[in-house]
Structures are given as structure tokens and as C-alpha cells.
Amino acid sequence: MALKKEIYTHDAPWSVYALGWSMRGNDPAVQHRLALGSFIEQYSNKVAVVRYAPEQDAFVRTATFDHPYPATKVAWIPDETGTKEDLLATTGDFLRVWRVTTGSSPSGSGLEDAIELRNLFNNNKNSEFCAPLTSMDWNRDDATMIGTSSIDTTCTIWNVETQQARTQLIAHDEEVYDIAFARGWDRFATAGQDGSVRMFDLREFEHSTILYESAKRVPLLRVAWNEQDPNFLAAIESEAPYTTIIDIRMHAKPVMRLAGHAASVTAVAWAPHSSCHICSAGDDTQALIWSLANLPKPVEEPILAYSAAAEINNLKWSSLNHDWVAIAFEKKMQLLRV
């Protein structure tokens, strides 16, 4: 089911923030499927599932469900064999895992998805409330494991099957804004308000390593592992027009900064199939793809650039279809062939 165009644009009824590509392999029906989260400044928000409809050569909405507060992140279960239960995780006030069931539309117009809440995770045993969750990551090597980050300085590693917390730890001195698992390693990284990127080992939670600290403790909003070479991480600083590249073998000093944006970088994603390509997007409406093939030589210019119609809120690179990057801006989700 090949996509025919170079760019696809899907219009949503609300501002789009959270983005998540399906990671369910060996299933043609979901090869080009994404979840989109709304950003509405009120309690009632939405998450939609969209997928490619070949007869229309367009992305159509196959499900929409209610979500309390804007989802800070949406992520499908990593399932490259296509044999696991079809699940979608979201974070906001809580971590929620949703079960997705695909069937035919009653009108005969194509596929339709039914969504039901499978689990709600709350690690606060003394209250029905918990501190807001800023982000999460699904472990690609162990799909029973999800890590969440919170404004209460903690990270929690959950077991999806037992619905229990494997551990909860104080990860930073202040709010934790992001968490990311390394592929193939027993490690995860976090970034936070205190301006540091820290690394933890799943086999020994008591200790962490500070991989990088920003100048003047500028908050670090996002952290992302290189998909092919876990020696490298990318981090985004608050209101910074660059992406910081970190080599975990050389603490404190970044390898380089990719400084091609004219305004704040808002999102970053490594190529799933290449150790030396990375995409960044920002408030300057630009999505830029960089090649780091000549490290440690400086990288002055991106190899590809795309201008959106407005400030880009988020981006995700498809792990199943490596030619496609999704970006979100205003009420649009746009797919770019790269």
C-alpha cells in the first residue's frame, strides 16, 4: 500500500499537539496509521486515530475518543511482529492504556476503530489524584514496560501487564519533562527543569549519571536517543534555536549544536534506520533534516528543509515507513516524504 504523494495534509477540528505513529508490523491495514492528540485549553480534549485510505489517497479519521486534558504524549505499543494486543498509551493527568479494535464501518465506507480504556495507572496510593505527567516512553525491547516523567520530580517505570509500578524514583531536583529508553540497552535518559540530562540503568536504579548540564541551568524540554547508535542523544533547551547532540562517552561537553533554526526548536527525532540522520522542527515553521555522517566535524547546514504554514508543535519519524515524517501545526497533521 504505497503512498502516492510527496505531502499529505490532514485537517483536524482542533489544534494538534501529540503525535504517534503505529509500530505494528506485518499488518498492511495499519502501516500508515497515527494517533493525534488535541490541544484545547480546557478539561475536555480528544485523541483521534487516522489512517491512510488508498481509495481516497488521503488520511481519514477512523476513531475519536475523549481524553481528560491535552495528551502530553501518545504512543502505540512497539509490535514489529504484529502479534501483540493493539494498544495505545497516553499521558496527561494519568498514564492510560487504550485497547484498539479494528473493524469495518457500518456504512461500508472503510475501516473503523473502536477504542476502550484498558488500564489507568496511578502510583499515588493515598489519593485518586496524581501529579501531571509530562511525557512517557514505551520500551521498544520489552513492550510490557512504560516509563513516565512527572512535574513532581519523579519517573515511574510501569509493568503494563501487572499494572504495577516496577519502581518510582526521584530523577531530578525539579520537574522532569521527558523520558526516553535506549534501544538494546538497559538504560533510559531523562531531561528536566534543572537543566540536566541524566541516565539511569534499569538494573540499578539507585544511581544516575549526569550526561549534560545546560549553561545557567536553562530547562531541558526533550531528550531523544539515536535509534541505531545509543552512544548519542539529542536534547532541546527551552527557547533555544538549536539542538544539542550529546555523546554519553564524553560527559558535560556536547559533541555539537545544530543551529539552523531562527526560533525555538520544539521537537526532534532521529531517523529509525540511520545512525547519522536527525530531524528538528521549530517555531520558525521549519522542519530540517541533518546528516551527522562526518562527526566530529561541525555541521553547518541541513541536507533537507521544509517550511510549514505555521509554527511546528511536534514531529515524529515513522519507524515502519522510513521515508515519512509527520509534523503538527495549528489544526493540521502533515506527512512529508523525506
Side-chain angles (χ1 to χ4, degrees):
M1 186 167 53
L3 303 188
K4 303 171 185 176
K5 302 175 185 176
E6 296 297 311
I7 298 174
Y8 288 85
T9 302
H10 176 80
D11 294 301
W14 21 255
S15 296
V16 180
Y17 173 67
L19 279 177
W21 280 98
S22 176
M23 294 191 284
R24 189 176 179 83
N26 298 330
D27 186 348
V30 298
Q31 284 291 303
H32 305 288
R33 179 180 67 170
L34 299 99
L36 315 178
S38 70
F39 186 83
I40 305 169
E41 293 184 0
Q42 59 190 43
Y43 177 79
S44 299
N45 273 259
K46 301 287 184 181
V47 174
V49 176
V50 300
R51 67 172 79 211
Y52 179 64
E55 63 279 2
Q56 298 165 251
D57 192 26
F59 280 77
V60 300
R61 198 161 57 248
T62 56
T64 303
F65 60 95
D66 294 327
H67 193 277
Y69 303 104
T72 53
K73 191 167 181 181
V74 296
W76 297 88
I77 185 171
D79 184 14
E80 295 176 358
T81 62
T83 56
K84 298 180 176 66
E85 190 175 14
D86 201 5
L87 301 177
L88 176 68
T90 65
T91 44
D93 53 345
F94 295 99
L95 169 65
R96 291 176 173 86
V97 174
W98 310 82
R99 181 182 291 109
V100 183
T101 306
T102 302
S104 298
S105 168
S107 64
S109 59
L111 296 175
E112 191 173 86
D113 294 305
I115 313 290
E116 62 176 334
L117 182 64
R118 181 182 185 267
N119 305 114
L120 184 148
F121 297 82
N122 181 8
N123 203 35
N124 189 340
K125 305 302 182 184
N126 302 315
S127 172
E128 62 183 35
F129 304 103
C130 77
L133 301 177
T134 54
S135 188
M136 56 96 171
D137 195 27
W138 214 312
N139 190 309
R140 294 282 295 274
D141 301 299
D142 180 356
T144 67
M145 191 186 305
I146 294 179
T148 59
S149 57
S150 173
I151 66 168
D152 69 359
T153 77
T154 68
C155 288
T156 305
I157 308 299
W158 295 96
N159 185 308
V160 177
E161 297 305 317
T162 64
Q163 302 174 45
Q164 300 296 315
R166 179 173 171 181
T167 190
Q168 184 179 53
L169 51 91
I170 296 174
H172 286 254
D173 300 328
E174 300 177 70
E175 293 98 326
V176 189
Y177 291 141
D178 203 10
I179 181 171
F181 287 108
R183 290 208 68 180
W185 283 15
D186 293 309
R187 299 178 187 180
F188 63 92
T190 59
Q193 173 70 27
D194 62 7
S196 69
V197 171
R198 305 190 182 201
M199 182 172 66
F200 296 83
D201 194 314
L202 291 166
R203 299 161 298 182
E204 189 179 8
F205 289 112
E206 292 77 16
H207 305 288
S208 67
T209 302
I210 296 177
L211 298 177
Y212 172 72
E213 290 184 292
S214 62
K216 299 181 180 179
R217 292 172 61 91
V218 174
L220 291 167
L221 305 181
R222 291 288 175 261
V223 61
W225 287 97
N226 187 309
E227 295 276 336
Q228 296 293 325
D229 185 351
N231 286 310
F232 293 96
L233 286 157
I236 298 173
E237 294 182 19
S238 176
E239 300 184 1
Y242 53 78
T243 302
T244 299
I245 305 299
I246 302 161
D247 185 336
I248 68 170
R249 297 163 297 186
M250 297 187 296
H251 298 176
K253 186 178 180 180
V255 175
M256 69 169 55
R257 288 197 169 100
L258 304 174
H261 288 276
S264 301
V265 176
T266 54
V268 64
W270 292 92
H273 60 296
S274 167
S275 63
C276 60
H277 290 93
I278 188 171
C279 184
S280 60
D283 284 342
D284 60 353
T285 78
Q286 299 285 302
L288 306 177
I289 293 182
W290 308 82
S291 173
L292 310 185
N294 293 322
L295 276 177
K297 292 181 179 179
V299 177
E300 304 292 345
E301 299 287 341
I303 58 172
L304 286 173
Y306 174 76
S307 294
E311 297 175 352
I312 299 174
N313 301 322
N314 211 338
L315 80 88
K316 298 292 178 183
W317 204 317
S318 173
S319 61
L320 293 180
N321 305 283
H322 303 158
D323 294 341
W324 292 94
V325 171
I327 60 173
F329 59 92
E330 293 184 336
K331 294 183 177 181
K332 298 182 185 295
M333 181 274 291
Q334 204 162 58
L335 268 62
L336 315 172
R337 190 192 297 270
V338 296

